[in-house]
Amino acid sequence: MENDPITRIESAPLVGARPREAGNNSRLHIHGIDVHLRVMRLTTNSGASGFGLCFAGADEAQALLLGKDIAALWSDGGLVSNTARAFDFPIWDLLGALRGASVYELAAEAAIAGPLRVPCYDTSLYMNDLSLDSDEAGAALIAEHARQGYEKNHRAFKIKVGRGARHMPLEAGIKRDIAVIKAVRDAVGAEARIMIDANNGYVLNIAKRVLAETADCNLFWLEEAFHEDPELYDALHKWMADEGLSVLIADGEGWAAAALMDWARAGFVDVIQYDIFSHGFSNWLETGAQLDAWTLRAAPHHYGRHLGNYVSGHLAPALKGFTFVEWDETLTPGIDASAYRVEEGQVVIPDAPGFGLALEEDIFRAAVREGGWELRL
């Protein structure tokens, strides 16, 4: 491991903006335009640096990072050590800078000719239609948002459903969900993949009805249909098999049940979606290896943190079951992500050191002064 101690640590808040206001989901009201990040940069004695999303404070950073070599932050298993995982993303980026290698090469422990291409989906189809009285108008609005995503080269789309859980009368909400799904399918064509996400806003019988009435839409997965329950998941799987449906069951993005991995192994859940930041990159490599052993899918959740658009895909070469990057379109002053792009439904990930991102120095340093902190050895 590199003998190059960390001599400077900077942390700063950055605020990004989506191109369109994100509306409601089944539980929450309007999510809005703004996206709030906290970015930490680590710089070594030689001048190498790496950065990433990190909410750890100055006291913890001073105790665990300042003056430490990368070797002190790394485990024998080739991952960030358990004691340093609060700093997972800046440490991975720094190691990439020190070794002149992309994180995806480090994670896969192999040389990989880049750039890397990883499937992604547009996650922006929220419930922006709730102010509209007719299902036709509401469905047309969300279909237009899907068309806008298609024009930005997305070929997979996730739709928020569960309008009847809170924001509309139950029957009206179910009908609106179904109308929206059908309209989006018409808008993006038969080849695009469509997922739906109820954010626990359904019950088993509502899930069955929606899947039955959208059977011709060829949905790829149903996400968070209801709170994790192996009995209900098993019943839903069996019902889908009887109906000839092949929709996958996805879960794990939020307050995931502790037994979720056990239920996945038992066949009740097909896609695990632990949040890329809450779970962490190193933890995801461990989790993904277990899912691969069980031939299950990995699709890390990402929403509202911008940098997840870029870091999630670096897991793909290491995980056979990696399925999608969740793409939450955002521009954040201070973050230069110009090396990334979406082409024909795939994130093109640069073969640059670390995560292939850069900080816009003037903006980042101003944010450090105005709302952040800095440590020097």
Side-chain angles (χ1 to χ4, degrees):
M1 277 290 180
E2 290 73 5
N3 181 19
D4 192 6
I6 295 169
T7 57
R8 186 179 185 185
I9 304 173
E10 303 155 278
S11 177
L14 297 175
V15 180
R18 300 183 178 92
R20 179 179 68 242
E21 182 176 67
N24 306 57
N25 65 18
S26 70
R27 295 179 53 249
L28 303 174
H29 292 296
I30 292 171
H31 288 64
I33 291 282
D34 291 345
V35 174
H36 295 270
L37 311 178
R38 187 89 192 188
V39 173
M40 181 179 289
R41 179 167 64 182
L42 311 177
T43 304
T44 67
N45 188 58
S46 70
S49 68
F51 74 93
L53 193 82
C54 182
F55 291 92
D59 290 345
E60 189 177 6
Q62 182 160 12
L64 295 176
L65 298 186
L66 197 62
K68 300 291 196 305
D69 292 330
I70 274 280
L73 308 174
W74 216 252
S75 70
D76 293 337
L79 304 172
V80 174
S81 64
N82 288 332
T83 56
R85 288 194 182 179
F87 310 94
D88 209 25
F89 291 92
I91 291 174
W92 276 99
D93 195 48
L94 176 58
L95 183 63
L98 289 168
R99 294 193 173 178
S102 64
V103 169
Y104 62 76
E105 290 180 299
L106 298 174
E109 298 182 318
I112 299 170
L116 184 68
R117 295 174 180 268
V118 181
C120 65
Y121 65 84
D122 179 354
T123 194
S124 70
L125 304 184
Y126 274 66
M127 300 178 188
N128 295 67
D129 59 291
L130 294 175
S131 64
L132 301 174
D133 291 334
S134 75
D135 291 342
E136 293 78 8
L141 176 65
I142 306 305
E144 175 57 29
H145 291 171
R147 276 190 290 270
Q148 292 170 8
Y150 196 94
E151 291 169 0
K152 294 178 180 178
N153 293 314
H154 286 289
R155 298 296 180 265
F157 304 85
K158 188 168 79 175
I159 306 167
K160 291 295 186 181
V161 294
R163 289 165 175 80
R166 177 176 184 178
H167 305 299
M168 296 178 69
L170 179 58
E171 179 64 19
I174 294 170
K175 289 181 177 179
R176 177 71 62 89
D177 285 352
I178 293 167
V180 165
I181 293 166
K182 289 179 175 292
V184 169
R185 172 54 78 197
D186 289 343
V188 300
E191 299 303 315
R193 281 182 165 173
I194 294 178
M195 292 75 76
I196 59 173
D197 180 4
N199 290 107
N200 299 323
Y202 284 166
V203 297
L204 176 60
N205 285 336
I206 295 175
K208 288 181 180 181
R209 177 178 168 188
V210 171
L211 293 178
E213 295 194 29
T214 60
D216 58 343
C217 294
N218 191 27
L219 296 178
F220 186 62
W221 78 43
L222 167 59
E223 179 177 336
E224 288 196 320
F226 32 71
H227 284 286
E228 296 97 332
D229 186 319
E231 181 70 25
L232 297 183
Y233 281 143
D234 188 33
L236 183 56
H237 262 302
K238 289 175 179 175
W239 175 83
M240 286 194 291
D242 290 342
E243 295 293 315
L245 296 174
S246 58
V247 183
L248 301 175
I249 293 177
D251 214 321
E253 74 163 64
W255 290 325
L260 187 63
M261 290 288 284
D262 295 332
W263 299 340
R265 185 181 187 182
F268 303 140
V269 179
D270 307 296
V271 187
I272 295 296
Q273 298 179 290
Y274 296 136
D275 183 86
I276 186 63
F277 293 117
S278 298
H279 199 54
F281 196 86
S282 296
N283 285 337
W284 248 116
L285 286 169
E286 294 174 329
T287 298
Q290 186 63 80
L291 294 174
D292 282 349
W294 298 336
T295 63
L296 295 171
R297 292 177 179 267
H301 170 258
H302 149 62
Y303 179 80
R305 299 284 175 82
H306 187 189
L307 295 180
N309 292 343
Y310 316 114
V311 302
S312 298
H314 284 261
L315 290 166
L319 307 185
K320 294 178 182 177
F322 190 94
T323 303
F324 278 124
V325 170
E326 183 169 11
W327 190 269
D328 178 20
E329 183 71 26
T330 304
L331 290 175
T332 300
I335 302 293
D336 179 1
S338 59
Y340 285 77
R341 61 190 184 277
V342 175
E343 290 184 353
E344 288 298 314
Q346 296 181 313
V347 182
V348 181
I349 300 176
D351 56 355
F355 288 113
L357 299 164
L359 289 172
E360 296 170 338
E361 189 65 24
D362 290 347
I363 296 173
F364 178 70
R365 286 298 304 159
V368 171
R369 291 191 300 270
E370 294 167 11
W373 49 262
E374 180 175 358
L375 302 173
R376 289 178 181 262
L377 190 63

